[in-house]
Amino acid sequence: MMTTTKDNGQNCEYFVVKAHDNGVQVIGLTRGQDTRFHHAEKLDRGEVLIAQFTEHTSAVKIRGRATVMTKYGVIEAGDQE
Ligand code: TRP
């Protein structure tokens, strides 16, 4: 199977987040025993982030209204009006 860069045994899938408001946050949670925030990326309305899970990030939390796209499908984050 082909692996991506940063693939240390984890499956480093991409995900896409498109912000619908200013100040949407994409928060990276640490991989492993301990679950901490290690990075928060702020997006303004219309901005798109394309990112990967890595050896450091095993979960992501989205704060605010955004469309989140993964290989599992598309989901709307935040209150829908
Ligand atoms: N540190 C946890 C881990 O690597 C982060 C995590 C992944 C998590 N999936 C989760 C925390 C689901 C809460 C719920 O497993």
Side-chain angles (χ1 to χ4, degrees):
M1 185 193 143
M2 204 181 102
T3 56
T4 57
T5 44
K6 291 189 157 183
D7 189 337
N8 291 356
Q10 291 94 19
N11 188 3
C12 297
E13 284 297 335
Y14 281 90
F15 58 92
V16 175
V17 180
K18 180 172 185 177
H20 298 317
D21 287 326
N22 292 334
V24 168
Q25 287 190 67
V26 181
I27 301 162
L29 302 179
T30 55
R31 187 178 292 281
Q33 284 278 84
D34 160 61
T35 303
R36 293 177 286 102
F37 288 11
H38 69 82
H39 183 81
E41 191 65 27
K42 275 206 178 166
L43 303 180
D44 285 334
R45 185 182 169 90
E47 285 185 329
V48 171
L49 179 72
I50 303 167
Q52 270 178 302
F53 291 98
T54 66
E55 66 268 40
H56 302 298
T57 307
S58 66
V60 168
K61 173 167 165 169
I62 313 290
R63 251 186 209 156
R65 293 199 314 122
T67 302
V68 182
M69 280 156 272
T70 72
K71 73 172 184 181
Y72 303 104
V74 178
I75 190 161
E76 296 303 316
D79 277 348
Q80 309 305 307
E81 251 87 334

